[in-house]
Amino acid sequence: MQQINNEHNEEETLLKERACSNLENALHDASWKKALGQYLSSEKFQKLSKIIKSEREQYTIYPPTEDVFSALNSSPFEDVKVVVVGQDPYHGQGQGHGLAFSVKRGVNPPPSLKNIFKEVVSDVDIDSPQHGNLECWSKQGVLLLNSVLTVRRSEANSHSGKGWEDLTDEIIHLLSEKREGLVFLLWGNPAAKKAKGVDQKKHTVISTSHPSPLSATKTKTPFMGSKCFSRCNDVLISQGQRPIDWGIY
């Protein structure tokens, strides 16, 4: 019965996706619409929108259209204090919902997220998380930004090189140029390369290895034991800002 319900829900989602023709409609936050206005009206973005629309007509794409810009919609431009850079969404059914590293409630946390929880529990002494939904972070101004915002089901990195990288480069550029005192948490080489243009005279960059079990304890700056969460809060406090409550509620 559960499988039938899941299939029915996915079919309904696909019908909604095929009825949606404008990717821009998924971005609701007024501050990001204003900041990205020029880019959203560019030929680059219009081309990307057409590509994703075509992909949704042929394949199952995650996350659903309404969740594609969840990171921006839940962390307005002027409220961003911390930027976490991920790669692309989880490609399993019901996992990703538009926030890097986050999964919906009721979905088992993937290995990278489990390591994130181990480090944050050890670092800032929070209670062990009971779910993997990180909305409580994003609502405090932690922008959980993937480099690529969509993916085909069961095909990791299948939407890389289709135009998302240009948009997310623009997002990082705008934050670096227009804001001050942000903390960039860069986990792994791809994230470090993505944010290499961040102005470190205005912002703080904390780089570690990726939280994946393949690299979390490796490199000269391993993620495990990095205390990146408390270090981030120390920076915010030193700037007179409210620290992030890293608890998962």
Side-chain angles (χ1 to χ4, degrees), residues 113-123 129 223-224 229:
L113 185 53
K114 288 181 180 179
N115 276 342
I116 289 171
F117 286 166
K118 287 179 183 177
E119 179 61 23
V120 74
V121 168
S122 171
D123 186 12
F223 175 79
M224 304 304 295
F229 300 99

Side-chain angles (χ1 to χ4, degrees), residues 29-47:
D29 181 75
S31 65
W32 278 110
K33 278 189 172 183
K34 181 179 179 181
L36 290 167
Q38 186 173 351
Y39 192 91
L40 296 177
S41 61
S42 69
E43 289 186 13
K44 280 186 177 181
F45 184 77
Q46 299 310 313
K47 181 180 179 181

Side-chain angles (χ1 to χ4, degrees), residues 6-117:
N6 287 341
E7 290 175 353
H8 176 69
N9 291 337
E10 187 157 320
E11 184 176 340
E12 283 189 340
T13 299
L14 285 172
L15 290 173
K16 291 178 182 177
E17 299 297 356
R18 289 166 183 167
C20 181
S21 60
N22 192 344
L23 189 60
E24 187 179 350
N25 291 339
L27 180 58
H28 308 304
D29 181 75
S31 65
W32 278 110
K33 278 189 172 183
K34 181 179 179 181
L36 290 167
Q38 186 173 351
Y39 192 91
L40 296 177
S41 61
S42 69
E43 289 186 13
K44 280 186 177 181
F45 184 77
Q46 299 310 313
K47 181 180 179 181
L48 170 64
S49 186
K50 289 178 181 178
I51 289 172
I52 301 305
K53 180 177 183 293
S54 176
E55 284 281 298
R56 289 195 186 278
E57 289 171 348
Q58 301 174 70
Y59 307 97
T60 299
I61 303 301
Y62 298 134
T65 297
E66 61 266 25
D67 289 338
V68 167
F69 292 120
S70 290
L72 302 182
N73 288 331
S74 57
S75 298
F77 183 76
E78 295 298 337
D79 293 345
V80 173
K81 297 195 289 187
V82 180
V83 182
V84 174
V85 180
Q87 295 179 35
D88 70 334
Y90 297 124
H91 52 79
Q93 181 178 345
Q95 289 184 311
H97 58 122
L99 304 179
F101 297 103
S102 179
V103 293
K104 293 181 178 180
R105 290 173 183 264
V107 176
N108 290 329
S112 292
L113 185 53
K114 288 181 180 179
N115 276 342
I116 289 171
F117 286 166

